Amino acid sequence: MASKELKTYTRDEVAKWIIIDGKVYDVSRFKDLHPGGASVFLDEDISGQDATEAFYGLHRHEVITKPQYARLQVGVVEGESSIIHSRIVGEASKVPYAEPTWLSDGYFSPYYTENHRKFQKAVRKFVDEIITPDAIAREADGKPPSKNVIEAME
C-alpha cells in the first residue's frame, strides 16, 4: 500500500479536525462509529484543539497506529513533531510496574541474572516479530497458526 502525502497545517487551519501528538486527523467520517459516541468530538477541548492528553488518557498508543485509524491522518502541524513513539520490538516497557520487577533497570537479585534478561528479550522479540503478526492475521481469517510460525519455533 502506497503511503499518502501528508500536508502541513497551521493550528488555525485545523478547526474541524483534531490534533494528536502533532498529527492532524480528520475524524468526520469516523465520529459516528466511535465506541464512545460522536459527542466526544464535539467537546470544545477536542475539536480543532490538541487532543493528545484526552486521547492518551483513554487509549493505548497502539490504537492510533492501527491501519483503520492511521488512515484518518491528513497531515501534521507546522513546526511540531511527534513526541510519543511506539515500543521498540523486543524491549521491556519503561512504564512503572508494567513489567516484572526483575526486568527493571537497577534491580539486583542473586536469582535473576543478565542471562535471564537476555533470554526474556529474545523471547519477547520472537513474539513481537513472529507470533503477534500471525496471531492478528489468524484472528481475522479464522485459520490455525501459519506453518512458518511452527517452523520458526523449531
Side-chain angles (χ1 to χ4, degrees):
M1 178 169 116
S3 63
K4 63 182 177 182
E5 186 67 31
L6 298 175
K7 295 182 180 180
T8 301
Y9 297 95
T10 64
R11 282 191 170 260
D12 294 333
E13 294 175 308
V14 297
K16 61 184 176 180
W17 299 323
I18 63 171
I19 302 167
I20 299 174
D21 191 32
K23 298 171 186 157
V24 180
Y25 293 89
D26 179 357
V27 293
S28 57
R29 293 183 311 229
F30 170 70
K31 65 183 178 187
D32 292 330
L33 302 172
H34 186 264
S39 62
V40 298
F41 297 107
L42 303 175
D43 189 336
E44 291 178 12
D45 295 335
I46 304 297
S47 185
Q49 304 296 319
D50 188 336
T52 303
E53 190 174 319
F55 178 83
Y56 285 108
L58 298 169
H59 305 85
R60 294 185 338 263
H61 179 66
E62 293 79 20
V63 170
I64 202 89
T65 61
K66 289 183 178 181
Q68 65 265 39
Y69 304 121
R71 69 178 173 74
L72 300 175
Q73 184 181 355
V74 294
V76 295
V77 178
E78 185 177 40
E80 295 185 23
S81 61
S82 179
I83 59 170
I84 299 172
H85 304 284
S86 297
R87 181 176 66 81
I88 298 169
V89 172
E91 290 291 321
S93 174
K94 300 294 183 198
V95 175
Y97 305 109
E99 300 286 351
T101 307
W102 60 271
L103 284 175
S104 303
D105 290 335
Y107 179 80
F108 173 76
S109 169
Y111 306 106
Y112 295 107
T113 66
E114 192 56 34
N115 287 337
H116 289 95
R117 289 180 180 88
K118 287 179 184 177
F119 177 71
Q120 191 278 337
K121 187 174 184 175
V123 169
R124 180 168 293 189
K125 185 174 181 180
F126 179 79
V127 169
D128 287 348
E129 292 178 343
I130 307 292
I131 295 177
T132 300
D134 191 68
I136 292 169
R138 299 302 69 86
E139 181 74 25
D141 64 19
K143 295 180 180 177
S146 299
K147 187 176 181 179
N148 66 337
V149 172
I150 306 302
E151 289 171 353
M153 286 192 258
E154 295 176 348

